Amino acid sequence: MTPEFIATIGFAFFGLCIGSFLNVVIHRVPRGSSVVTPPSRCPHCNYLLRWSDNVPVLSWVFLRGRCRKCRAPISIRYPIVEILTMLMFLLHLWIFGWSALMIVRVAFATALIALFAIDLEHQLLPNAITLPGIAVGLIVSLVLPPGIVDAVLGALLGYGILWAIAAAYYRYSGQEGMGGGDLKMLAMIGAFLGWKQVVVTLVLSSVSGSLIGLLVIAIKRGDRKYALPFGTFLALGALAASLLGERILAWYLGLYEF
Ligand SMILES: [Zn+2]
């Protein structure tokens, strides 16, 4: 076993633990409770979870998805979030290699997973995640790509473009089409990825959002009232932009060089 292999296994396990923490974030942040205290309890019988009930994935498998005390079912969402987070860590390592940028983008992806899940469940993008996200994105861009100028422009463009779309939509329909959370989320994405990737993210999220929206309309036979939260698509688009955005841009711009 090479040291690199051992480091990769360790990194994968670290991803599982962060996934476990993400479960707490996804459950507690929209309810305004602390992610540190109190320790987790079974929502049914109030049983205080021991450390051995908190081992990522393994506890869920050994307890066969049930509370140790009252046997109430535990959502399969918990091990799924843990495994997805681990895969996300490995994917970043594969694309960026061991580097400072990889660590930053993994942290960014972790925030995106939290926003994705919270928006899907609560139609909410908490300031507790987006506002520190904007600050961290700008600070790390002082020394890492895309650079501070690009990052500031990205945050401004991200906020401004959705603000303009929301204002136009309000003028046109008299309804609020987008929450302020979406604006702050795209500002955060711009702070991490720069202004060009804000455009890439918007295109990817709008296309995937339209396709899935049409699918939902087709399945629900024309019930257009069912609104899919835009933040979930912003999260998917930003993740693709973070991992592949440079390649997408090069490919797109390449079309015009012939
Ligand atoms: Zn219980």
Side-chain angles (χ1 to χ4, degrees), residues 14-59:
F14 181 57
L16 280 179
C17 298
I18 296 294
S20 190
F21 174 68
L22 264 180
N23 277 318
V24 178
V25 169
I26 292 165
H27 185 75
R28 292 191 185 179
V29 168
R31 292 167 176 84
S33 13
S34 158
V35 294
V36 187
T37 54
S40 303
R41 287 173 179 275
C42 167
H44 289 273
C45 67
N46 234 17
Y47 160 72
L48 190 67
L49 269 63
R50 288 185 256 164
W51 72 266
S52 57
D53 300 324
N54 272 320
V55 181
V57 184
L58 289 181
S59 302

Side-chain angles (χ1 to χ4, degrees), residues 2 4 20 26 34 60 63-64 70 79 84 92 94 104 110 114 127 132 146 149 159 164 174 176 208-209 212 219 236:
T2 62
E4 170 134 30
S20 190
I26 292 165
S34 158
W60 194 90
L63 296 169
R64 271 165 288 168
C70 72
L84 278 181
H92 278 76
W94 185 48
V104 168
T110 302
N127 284 343
V149 176
Y159 193 92
E176 301 264 2
S208 59
I212 293 174
I219 292 168
L236 295 176

